[in-house]
Amino acid sequence: MKPCAYKLVWLAAFNAALGMAFLVLVDMGRDLDQCQTDSVLLAMPQDTQFDLAILGSSRAKLFTRIRPNIECLERTLGTRVFGMATPFGGGIVPAKLYLDSFYAQGNRADTVLLFLDPFMLFCRGPNEGHKLVYWEPFRFSFFVRMVREGFDYRRLVTYIRSKFLWNHIAQKPIELGRHDETLSSDLLDPERMSMRMNSLYPDGLDPAQFTRYAKTLRDVIATGQRQGARMIIAFAPTLLGDDPGRPMVAAFLDELQAQHEFEVYDFTHAVADPGLFADYDHLNSAGVEEFVSRTLKPLLRGQNQQ
Amino acid sequence: MLFNSLQFVLFFPTVAFVHFALPPRYRWAWQLAASYFFYMCWEPGYAALILISTLVDYAAGILLGRTTRQATRRGCLFFSLAANLGLLFFFKYYNFFADSIRTALEDLGFECALPLSGFLLPVGISFYTFQTLSYTIEVYRGNQEPERHLGRFALYVAFFPQLVAGPIERAPRLLPQLRRWPSFDYDRVTDGLKLIFWGLFKKVVIADRLASFVTPIYQSPSAHSGLALSTATLFFAFQIYCDFSGYTDIAIGAARVFGVDLMDNFKRPYAARSIRDFWRRWHISLSTWFRDYVYIPLGGSHVTLRRWQVNILVVFFLSGLWHGANWTFLAWGLLHGGYLLAGHTIEPVRARLAAAVHLDRHDRLLQIIQTLSTFGLVCFAWIFFRANTLSDAVYVATHWYRDWNWPQTFHAFINMGPTINMEPYFFLKEFGLSIGLIGFLTIVQAFQAREPIRVRMHRWPLWLRFGVYSLGLWFMFLFGVFRQQEFIYFTF
């Protein structure tokens, strides 16, 4: 039996080593900043002090993914910002993965701002089913975190194997220009807006999912607090109005505030002008400027009250 | 538990390791426990059905061995047939018949609400039922000694590599192998592992990839062009072959690791030169079962022409019914029966035609024509096998050749990605890869005509074998579809 086992182990070890060498070669010298890629890990530095770290879904990603937006943010606030939000409907699990990786790489942030969209706590898709596995580079520690967070084995396989495919190997920096698109007024139709809202809740308001992801939210808050950051949870501006999951999330946050020290703000209705939105729930660049100067700036300077 | 699941990747090496670590006299018990565990991973309660089948046929076998009275022997056989086929009927066909009767009566103007069963279809019930029946029939015929060891007989019924989708083994072949477990043999084990690997490759790289085209097109055939329908049908021909033969390879390979030789189920079926030849190469364990236990007892070919034709239709009707409780499977079975009868009827005409154009039986061109026409007929029949309803099948069968007005059809075809939930670029990439894989499979099959490639590989130097295994592993890793899709034959 020994020779057979020996050869099988040798075959597996040889191919694993070959794969690792390939991954190292591919990622060697790849230097992208946060405006050039959807990947958070590729842009994440080491041992760096930031004033503000942003977590959340695509509604938060737009602050750092588009160069004019982050320039506006850093200029207006006078701070150094690192974006760890996840595009394409990112959930709370990716937020936890990124925040853990952020600290594990020796980075620090004075303030951690989590734009919490209630749907993030109700559906599997934005969490363990997220597409981030395609664009994040292979990091063993990140892989282990994904396993711990209960990612499906098919997602884990996709995470590894997508690194050997052309899309990842030939990945080039992508610069997104100022986002001036505005929401057409004929789209402000309650039926369409309701359809958009429903699309955010493919699994409905499943209490079991909520219990599971609420625990992850608690972990995110605890992690930031442990690292001495000022933790802020904010509901991002949207034209869709209040999410159906919002009452449950708000009640949970109230409960959590008894145990942890963090601030909660509701900016759902902070921007009401449809001309400042690129679609129902994403600000355009003018909207970002407006929101940052009117709302975020006083908040981060401690002038805003809940 | 699926062969293409992570659980199996952990289960199989564990079973193999403990199997070889145990003294041979205890191995049957370990294999039996592993087999029941394997089955119970799906639905624990349904293992009781296997147990009932086992106890019924064990008792029938013992009683048959003790008596020479013909009436008692017939009674035992009847008891076994009634119990096994009764279970099969109740769990697999009851709803189908109840629904068909209700529809027929409603058509005649009668109201009739027969109660429907809410039970799931037990995985593999058709396979293990036929396997246990073959034991009782062989004991009845005197070709098999009754097995007195209940544990070993239970293992014969439930042996996990072939429990849920065959090959359907015969007692005289399998039972003796379950009495003598050989010790670890390097060549045999590595040969088994190669078969498992090749089977997995066919399933996760080829079959499941082709399924992503076939499933959405057959889900709504009327929404697709003739070109899309014919492509989906062609792809299905390779999908079902890779799916089922992939399962069989894994089953044979896994059994071989333990020293058990299972029968071949496929012999390059798409290289068949006639429908009769096809049935000697496709799902051999089932077609020989029907031959030995239905066709020959009905008189086989030693009867009048009319009676022989009826026998053929009965066998293919039952074969269709065995595959599933749906009119589409019956149509598929009867279509194959019809092919055989038509082929027999026009045989002299075909021979005269070949002679008229000076085509000798061994002529390469004639072989190619026969192979292609057989493949075409088989593909046409697959339409009925794959379609969800008989009306869908009729739609595909009457539309696959329409709208072939190039280049608009071709343009529509290459842009059909979104209609089957694929991005256009992804659709083209996957489509190209699928065609390439079908080509690769065809070349491999051609090479295997004389000798399996894995046997040839024994003669290759180590570095070359190592390189081929590594390449195969990488290809499977990069291009495998790891959705843990069930094997098609699990549902039969």
Side-chain angles (χ1 to χ4, degrees):
Chain A
M1 205 189 309
K2 268 186 191 165
C4 185
Y6 172 76
K7 281 182 186 167
L8 283 174
V9 169
W10 215 84
L11 182 70
F14 172 77
N15 283 291
L18 200 68
M20 290 306 291
F22 181 83
L23 289 177
V24 169
L25 277 175
V26 166
D27 282 341
M28 195 181 276
R30 191 172 263 174
D31 186 21
L32 300 171
D33 77 26
Q34 55 185 325
C35 305
Q36 295 175 316
T37 174
D38 284 330
S39 164
V40 171
L41 296 185
L42 276 177
M44 190 179 281
Q46 285 196 327
D47 304 319
T48 306
Q49 173 70 41
F50 290 93
D51 300 305
L52 175 65
I54 298 178
L55 296 166
S57 68
S58 55
R59 296 177 191 176
K61 186 73 175 174
L62 57 89
F63 289 101
T64 54
R65 179 67 178 87
I66 298 165
R67 194 174 292 282
N69 290 0
I70 192 168
E71 281 173 357
C72 158
L73 193 65
E74 292 194 328
R75 192 177 54 242
T76 313
L77 301 177
T79 54
R80 193 166 178 208
V81 181
F82 186 66
M84 292 188 280
T86 323
F88 308 110
I92 193 67
V93 172
K96 180 174 188 306
L97 291 174
Y98 289 138
L99 191 63
D100 287 348
S101 304
F102 179 76
Y103 286 124
Q105 289 195 203
N107 300 301
R108 291 286 173 271
D110 293 337
T111 303
V112 174
L113 170 58
L114 167 61
F115 281 107
L116 184 67
D117 300 313
F119 74 82
M120 291 164 73
L121 303 186
F122 287 93
C123 315
R124 214 187 144 273
N127 290 293
E128 297 93 347
H130 200 271
K131 286 203 276 188
L132 66 92
V133 294
Y134 287 100
W135 57 69
E136 291 303 348
F138 183 78
R139 301 274 188 274
F140 187 71
S141 54
F142 194 72
F143 178 77
V144 172
R145 281 187 194 106
M146 287 165 76
V147 173
R148 281 198 199 131
E149 290 302 324
F151 271 67
D152 187 82
Y153 102 96
R154 283 166 293 179
R155 280 274 139 188
L156 298 172
V157 169
T158 304
Y159 175 55
I160 302 175
R161 74 172 173 178
S162 58
K163 307 298 150 301
F164 296 91
L165 300 180
W166 188 245
N167 284 359
H168 181 79
I169 297 165
Q171 194 182 143
K172 291 206 167 64
I174 300 167
E175 286 277 355
L176 299 177
R178 193 181 154 80
H179 204 182
D180 286 327
E181 198 178 326
T182 55
L183 184 67
S184 155
S185 56
D186 61 321
L187 292 176
L188 288 169
D189 163 31
E191 200 178 326
R192 285 190 180 198
M193 290 167 77
S194 157
M195 275 169 64
R196 166 66 183 158
M197 184 64 95
N198 290 339
S199 74
L200 298 172
Y201 288 85
D203 304 341
L205 294 173
D206 182 355
Q209 305 266 49
F210 177 75
T211 309
R212 182 175 172 198
Y213 296 128
K215 187 184 165 299
T216 311
L217 173 61
R218 183 198 305 260
D219 291 347
V220 168
I221 293 168
T223 304
Q225 223 182 8
R226 232 183 359 258
Q227 298 291 337
R230 175 187 174 198
M231 283 299 299
I232 301 175
I233 310 287
F235 293 106
T238 168
L239 289 175
L240 295 173
D242 289 336
D243 272 42
R246 207 193 114 97
M248 279 170 83
V249 175
F252 177 72
L253 288 174
D254 284 346
E255 192 184 305
L256 213 55
Q257 272 185 311
Q259 300 156 26
H260 298 276
E261 197 177 309
F262 63 95
E263 300 157 41
V264 180
Y265 298 95
D266 183 1
F267 299 136
T268 309
H269 306 287
V271 182
D273 178 2
L276 297 175
F277 281 86
D279 55 34
Y280 295 123
D281 43 1
H282 295 94
L283 294 170
N284 58 24
S285 291
V288 168
E289 284 163 11
E290 170 83 6
F291 179 71
V292 169
S293 58
R294 285 204 169 197
T295 313
L296 271 192
K297 192 175 171 184
L299 165 70
L300 293 170
R301 291 192 175 169
Q303 296 164 358
N304 207 341
Q305 290 303 309
Q306 189 174 352
Chain B
M1 190 186 300
L2 298 171
F3 281 164
N4 53 333
S5 68
L6 194 61
Q7 293 102 300
F8 189 74
V9 173
L10 302 171
F11 169 83
F12 183 69
T14 310
V15 172
F17 180 79
V18 176
H19 175 90
F20 288 112
L22 281 171
R25 66 178 182 279
Y26 299 125
R27 287 181 183 166
W28 68 266
W30 171 245
Q31 286 290 343
L32 183 62
S35 297
Y36 268 82
F37 175 79
F38 177 87
Y39 193 80
M40 287 164 80
C41 283
W42 168 69
E43 185 67 59
Y46 281 20
L49 294 178
I50 303 182
L51 195 62
I52 292 170
S53 258
T54 303
L55 293 174
V56 164
D57 286 282
Y58 177 76
I62 295 289
L63 284 173
L64 281 167
R66 281 188 186 160
T67 180
T68 51
R69 265 191 72 217
Q70 202 52 29
T72 315
R73 291 175 65 80
R74 281 210 186 114
C76 287
L77 180 64
F78 178 77
F79 169 64
S80 163
L81 287 171
N84 284 297
L85 295 178
L87 282 177
L88 183 62
F89 175 82
F90 178 74
F91 282 97
K92 187 166 177 174
Y93 301 106
Y94 172 74
N95 282 353
F96 171 64
F97 282 107
D99 199 47
S100 301
I101 290 168
R102 183 187 56 78
T103 313
L105 287 175
E106 276 178 7
D107 287 348
L108 293 171
F110 297 104
E111 275 295 314
C112 169
L114 287 170
L116 294 180
S117 143
F119 288 105
L120 289 172
L121 172 66
V123 166
I125 190 167
S126 308
F127 289 91
Y128 66 74
T129 300
F130 271 39
Q131 185 155 311
T132 50
L133 279 180
S134 92
Y135 164 80
T136 316
I137 296 170
E138 291 300 336
V139 174
Y140 175 78
R141 287 176 176 176
N143 298 332
Q144 167 72 38
E145 279 294 307
E147 175 59 58
R148 294 182 195 287
H149 192 296
L150 177 60
R152 260 198 290 270
F153 181 70
L155 181 57
Y156 162 75
V157 180
F159 187 43
F160 80 85
Q162 41 92 248
L163 171 62
V164 288
I168 302 165
E169 274 297 340
R170 307 297 178 81
R173 189 185 149 86
L174 183 57
L175 267 170
Q177 297 189 72
L178 303 181
R179 289 190 197 114
R180 290 183 299 274
W181 295 95
S183 52
F184 188 91
D185 178 318
Y186 178 84
D187 286 339
R188 198 191 58 233
V189 168
T190 52
D191 194 46
L193 291 177
K194 279 179 218 162
L195 260 175
I196 291 175
F197 180 77
W198 178 233
L200 266 178
F201 185 93
K202 282 196 278 188
K203 168 67 179 163
V204 301
V205 179
I206 309 180
D208 289 351
R209 167 159 282 99
L210 296 176
S212 53
F213 294 94
V214 176
T215 307
I217 293 175
Y218 265 89
Q219 210 62 43
S220 52
S222 56
H224 294 93
S225 67
L227 178 59
L229 294 177
S230 9
T231 307
T233 305
L234 176 75
F235 276 16
F236 179 68
F238 286 97
Q239 181 201 340
I240 192 161
Y241 172 61
C242 289
D243 192 284
F244 193 20
S245 73
Y247 175 88
T248 305
D249 284 347
I250 299 170
I252 295 175
R256 189 163 295 168
V257 166
F258 302 122
V260 175
D261 278 324
L262 299 180
M263 69 186 294
D264 277 341
N265 227 3
F266 296 93
K267 284 183 181 160
R268 302 189 307 120
Y270 294 146
R273 293 173 61 183
S274 66
I275 292 296
R276 189 191 294 177
D277 187 20
F278 174 78
W279 281 103
R280 288 193 198 110
R281 295 160 174 264
W282 179 272
H283 204 174
I284 300 165
S285 65
L286 180 71
S287 48
T288 52
W289 198 100
F290 275 113
R291 181 196 65 199
D292 295 345
Y293 302 125
V294 181
Y295 178 68
I296 292 175
L298 285 173
S301 57
H302 301 291
V303 286
T304 62
L305 179 66
R306 181 58 55 86
R307 179 66 196 274
W308 172 78
Q309 288 170 335
V310 171
N311 289 351
I312 289 288
L313 288 178
V314 167
V315 167
F316 278 95
F317 171 83
L318 291 176
S319 172
L321 193 62
W322 179 91
H323 280 85
N326 194 331
W327 293 106
T328 52
F329 293 115
L330 289 178
W332 172 78
L334 288 171
L335 191 56
H336 269 280
Y339 284 162
L340 268 177
L341 298 184
H344 183 264
T345 309
I346 62 166
E347 200 168 350
V349 181
R350 283 186 290 146
R352 274 206 297 277
L353 198 65
V357 292
H358 306 293
L359 280 174
D360 175 62
R361 186 179 144 64
H362 301 291
D363 198 301
R364 200 80 173 146
L365 181 62
L366 180 63
Q367 287 179 10
I368 291 170
I369 292 169
Q370 287 174 328
T371 304
L372 287 178
S373 50
T374 303
F375 181 66
L377 291 172
V378 169
C379 281
F380 184 75
W382 284 136
I383 292 173
F384 291 84
F385 192 95
R386 177 60 187 84
N388 295 332
T389 61
L390 205 51
S391 56
D392 275 1
V394 171
Y395 182 88
V396 178
T398 53
H399 286 76
W400 66 268
Y401 50 85
R402 295 192 189 175
D403 312 324
W404 283 65
N405 49 337
W406 305 86
Q408 294 100 311
T409 306
F410 182 69
H411 185 258
F413 181 77
I414 61 169
N415 287 304
M416 70 180 280
T419 63
I420 58 168
N421 297 325
M422 283 190 199
E423 288 167 20
Y425 163 76
F426 188 69
F427 167 76
L428 288 179
K429 196 186 81 175
E430 286 291 295
F431 185 75
L433 188 59
S434 301
I435 295 285
L437 285 166
I438 290 174
F440 170 72
L441 181 77
T442 310
I443 293 167
V444 170
Q445 299 276 292
F447 271 107
Q448 305 227 82
R450 281 192 203 150
E451 189 181 28
I453 288 180
R454 65 173 202 287
V455 177
R456 291 181 195 201
M457 284 173 76
H458 275 305
R459 299 190 289 268
W460 293 359
L462 181 66
W463 66 266
L464 186 57
R465 275 183 282 152
F466 205 83
V468 171
Y469 301 150
S470 297
L471 205 64
L473 277 173
W474 277 103
F475 203 87
M476 183 142 74
F477 174 64
L478 294 178
F479 299 107
V481 178
F482 296 100
R483 284 190 217 119
Q484 291 195 19
Q485 284 180 26
E486 269 194 2
F487 288 85
I488 296 172
Y489 267 69
F490 270 27
T491 50
F492 296 152

